[in-house]
Amino acid sequence: MPTSYDVLIIGSGQAGNPLATALADAGRKVVLVEENHLGGSCINYGCSPTKALLAAAERAHQLRTAAEYGIKSVEPDLDFAAVIARKDAIIKRSREGVRRNLQQEHPGITVLHGHATFTGPHTVQVGLPGGKMQEIKAPLIFINTGTRAALPDLEGLAEVPYLTTTGLLDLQELPEHLLILGGGYIGLEFGQMFRRFGSRVTIVESGANLLEREDDDVCAGMREILEADGIELVLGAEARRVSQNEEGVITLSAHTRTGERRLRGTHLLVATGRTPNSDTLGLETTGVKTDEKGYIQVNSSLQTAVRGVYALGDIHGGPQFTHISYDDYRVVRDAIVHGKRRSAKQRPLPYTVFTEPQLGRIGLSEDQAREQGIAYRVATMPVRTIGRARETGRTTGFWKVLVDKQDRILGAAILCAEGGEIMTMFQLAMMGRLTYPQLQNMVIAHPTWAEGLNNVFAKLEKPGAA
């Protein structure tokens, strides 16, 4: 007979974990099923490990460039295995914290390790270690199984020891020459990271620009930053085939506007997007609907086509960010526990690309404002005009802010040191419906990065043509 619970959560990511504790604290009997490590992608192979490695890469860069500050520069003596060990220690502590939170600090939660497969709309069979099976039944089910690396249809890929971001995080030796297929934010973060560790890096992107969501000037600014670090960028390149010779050299052949390019390296990272982990859940037994890519279809309350079954986080498509997954948890928690309904389709989308300098983005880009027919004015300010930038020597990049007819902020792109933190200041202004003159005339402590809010609007251009 199936074991009955009030709530079944499949996947322990940034939506599933807090939802388990919230519903257990509300008196529900909860079971959480996780096939891999507790914590989901953010803790195990996403945000936490990559930002830990980026911090190490930044230290190496500071040693190389110390002469700019009157300190003798040195070439870092990189112990790459030790860098990876530090990252692993951070992950371990995070996993232990998640386990403690779920199994010790919140009674009412049962954690099962195994693969969950639906056998009906509200019944799931879990394959446990040792070959045992357990059937679970629950009126409320939340699918939080995330995504995995999407592999392109590339001739020869199956015969080459390619890496996804998960495998790259566990390397014990530094690649001599890393080829990266994909110029999105993942490819850029890893590209700059490994370049600063000392690898040669080549990024191959099929589009004409890096970061397809961004305006051309933002893409151009990012390109200048990466090329200044010594990264080779091959844009507008359609990868055709990949191979490896007896010496272990990987050759990636790509068609470009100037003809065929044969790019050679020691390692290949495939960073061409993600695909949902929905294909092994047995959804065909439930009535839950997916789109052509396999993402689970949900309404504005994150409910699937089956009553009582929800999809949270990356599995339902759309922007794949940890903070969006966490907000999915809040949307569902508020509806079920507090009786307050809020649409998951109408919310801000802040994000940060953790290159150095960072790119922080909130609201509309200039391209999006034009596409939507929204009249706007735009203010652009070079970072070098900020006193804090000159004093710290971090003068690369610019701020770009859009305002509407009512002088309120429409969006911002902050390509700057601490760009994510600065972007959040604009987000707060947008949430508070502040006008740009209020920011322009605000008394801000000197000398801080925030002082740029006083100055960025000095040269607002005329409204853009709708």
Side-chain angles (χ1 to χ4, degrees), residues 294-458:
Y295 290 102
I296 295 176
Q297 296 180 326
V298 295
N299 62 16
S300 61
S301 299
L302 302 172
Q303 298 167 320
T304 70
V306 176
R307 184 177 179 84
V309 179
Y310 296 72
L312 310 177
D314 298 351
I315 192 70
H316 64 65
Q320 296 182 11
F321 298 109
T322 292
H323 45 282
I324 298 298
S325 295
Y326 188 77
D327 193 57
D328 282 358
Y329 143 68
R330 289 185 293 212
V331 168
V332 172
R333 175 206 61 191
D334 289 350
I336 294 174
V337 178
H338 304 302
K340 299 178 181 178
R341 298 201 174 274
R342 174 168 64 88
S343 173
K345 305 292 185 181
Q346 299 173 343
R347 54 187 172 186
L349 177 58
Y351 58 89
T352 302
V353 181
F354 285 89
T355 50
E356 176 55 41
Q358 298 171 6
L359 170 63
R361 275 275 283 111
I362 180 65
L364 296 179
S365 68
E366 195 169 1
D367 287 343
Q368 290 168 334
R370 288 196 199 99
E371 290 168 4
Q372 297 180 30
I374 298 174
Y376 66 90
R377 287 169 289 168
V378 61
T380 304
M381 179 182 70
V383 169
R384 64 179 180 274
T385 64
I386 302 172
R388 182 68 176 169
R390 294 193 299 270
E391 293 148 8
T392 60
R394 304 167 81 183
T395 57
T396 303
F398 61 91
W399 294 18
K400 181 178 182 180
V401 188
L402 274 65
V403 301
D404 64 13
K405 291 180 178 179
Q406 288 75 42
D407 291 344
R408 294 194 175 95
I409 310 300
L410 284 170
I414 310 299
L415 184 59
C416 176
E418 310 302 338
E421 312 296 337
I422 299 166
M423 171 271 292
T424 304
M425 290 189 266
F426 284 103
Q427 183 181 358
L428 289 169
M430 293 167 70
M431 291 186 69
R433 297 182 62 78
L434 300 180
T435 63
Y436 84 81
Q438 289 175 287
L439 300 180
Q440 202 170 25
N441 296 313
M442 185 165 54
V443 178
I444 300 175
H446 173 80
T448 61
W449 290 107
E451 274 189 303
L453 273 71
N454 289 160
N455 304 322
V456 66
F457 302 102

Side-chain angles (χ1 to χ4, degrees), residues 121-374:
H122 290 275
T123 307
V124 164
Q125 194 172 65
V126 181
L128 300 172
K132 295 181 179 180
M133 305 297 292
Q134 181 171 343
E135 196 167 30
I136 295 172
K137 190 172 184 179
L140 281 177
I141 298 179
F142 301 90
I143 304 170
N144 183 217
T145 51
T147 61
R148 61 185 184 273
L151 300 179
D153 184 14
L154 179 61
E155 180 184 340
L157 186 62
E159 286 75 49
V160 170
Y162 65 87
L163 297 164
T164 64
T165 54
T166 306
L168 188 62
L169 289 168
D170 292 329
L171 287 180
Q172 295 299 307
E173 295 183 356
L174 186 68
E176 179 183 338
H177 186 178
L178 178 63
L179 303 175
I180 299 178
L181 188 57
Y185 72 91
I186 294 176
L188 302 192
E189 289 182 5
F190 275 100
Q192 190 181 56
M193 175 200 304
F194 276 88
R195 178 60 188 148
R196 291 186 169 187
F197 281 145
S199 301
R200 286 183 59 198
V201 174
T202 301
I203 297 176
V204 182
E205 165 58 35
S206 60
N209 276 325
L210 303 168
L211 300 172
E212 60 182 357
R213 292 190 185 96
E214 307 303 333
D215 291 331
D216 287 348
D217 53 354
V218 175
C219 295
M222 181 64 75
R223 179 173 181 172
E224 290 176 10
I225 289 165
L226 297 176
E227 288 182 333
D229 266 8
I231 295 172
E232 180 185 15
L233 300 175
V234 183
L235 304 179
E238 181 185 352
R240 296 287 180 86
R241 68 189 66 84
V242 63
S243 61
Q244 185 181 39
N245 65 17
E246 294 180 357
E247 288 75 34
V249 176
I250 294 172
T251 300
L252 179 66
S253 299
H255 178 72
T256 71
R257 288 169 293 183
T258 58
E260 195 79 5
R261 290 284 306 272
R262 293 172 63 84
L263 304 161
R264 294 176 176 83
T266 57
H267 294 73
L268 172 66
L269 170 64
V270 177
T272 52
R274 309 287 294 177
T275 191
N277 292 321
S278 62
D279 50 340
T280 61
L281 292 174
L283 295 179
E284 64 277 2
T285 67
T286 66
V288 171
K289 299 184 184 303
T290 60
D291 65 14
E292 67 280 359
K293 294 182 179 180
Y295 290 102
I296 295 176
Q297 296 180 326
V298 295
N299 62 16
S300 61
S301 299
L302 302 172
Q303 298 167 320
T304 70
V306 176
R307 184 177 179 84
V309 179
Y310 296 72
L312 310 177
D314 298 351
I315 192 70
H316 64 65
Q320 296 182 11
F321 298 109
T322 292
H323 45 282
I324 298 298
S325 295
Y326 188 77
D327 193 57
D328 282 358
Y329 143 68
R330 289 185 293 212
V331 168
V332 172
R333 175 206 61 191
D334 289 350
I336 294 174
V337 178
H338 304 302
K340 299 178 181 178
R341 298 201 174 274
R342 174 168 64 88
S343 173
K345 305 292 185 181
Q346 299 173 343
R347 54 187 172 186
L349 177 58
Y351 58 89
T352 302
V353 181
F354 285 89
T355 50
E356 176 55 41
Q358 298 171 6
L359 170 63
R361 275 275 283 111
I362 180 65
L364 296 179
S365 68
E366 195 169 1
D367 287 343
Q368 290 168 334
R370 288 196 199 99
E371 290 168 4
Q372 297 180 30
I374 298 174

Side-chain angles (χ1 to χ4, degrees), residues 31-162:
V31 59
L32 185 146
V33 180
E34 174 55 61
E35 183 175 10
N36 298 304
H37 293 293
L38 290 173
S41 62
C42 180
I43 286 176
N44 292 291
Y45 53 86
C47 313
S48 294
T50 57
K51 277 49 182 182
L53 294 180
L54 282 166
E58 184 177 354
R59 298 300 187 280
H61 181 69
Q62 289 170 351
L63 290 174
R64 288 194 189 94
T65 58
E68 298 174 9
Y69 299 83
I71 302 168
K72 184 177 179 181
S73 298
V74 295
E75 182 61 27
D77 184 9
L78 182 70
D79 185 344
F80 191 66
V83 170
I84 297 299
R86 174 181 178 270
K87 177 266 299 181
D88 290 341
I90 292 172
I91 294 175
K92 182 181 178 182
R93 286 194 296 270
S94 297
R95 288 174 183 165
E96 291 171 348
V98 171
R99 182 177 297 280
R100 186 167 56 252
N101 179 63
L102 292 173
Q103 296 186 300
Q104 298 176 19
E105 298 174 2
H106 293 272
I109 302 174
T110 299
V111 176
L112 297 178
H113 286 276
H115 179 74
T117 307
F118 282 91
T119 56
H122 290 275
T123 307
V124 164
Q125 194 172 65
V126 181
L128 300 172
K132 295 181 179 180
M133 305 297 292
Q134 181 171 343
E135 196 167 30
I136 295 172
K137 190 172 184 179
L140 281 177
I141 298 179
F142 301 90
I143 304 170
N144 183 217
T145 51
T147 61
R148 61 185 184 273
L151 300 179
D153 184 14
L154 179 61
E155 180 184 340
L157 186 62
E159 286 75 49
V160 170
Y162 65 87

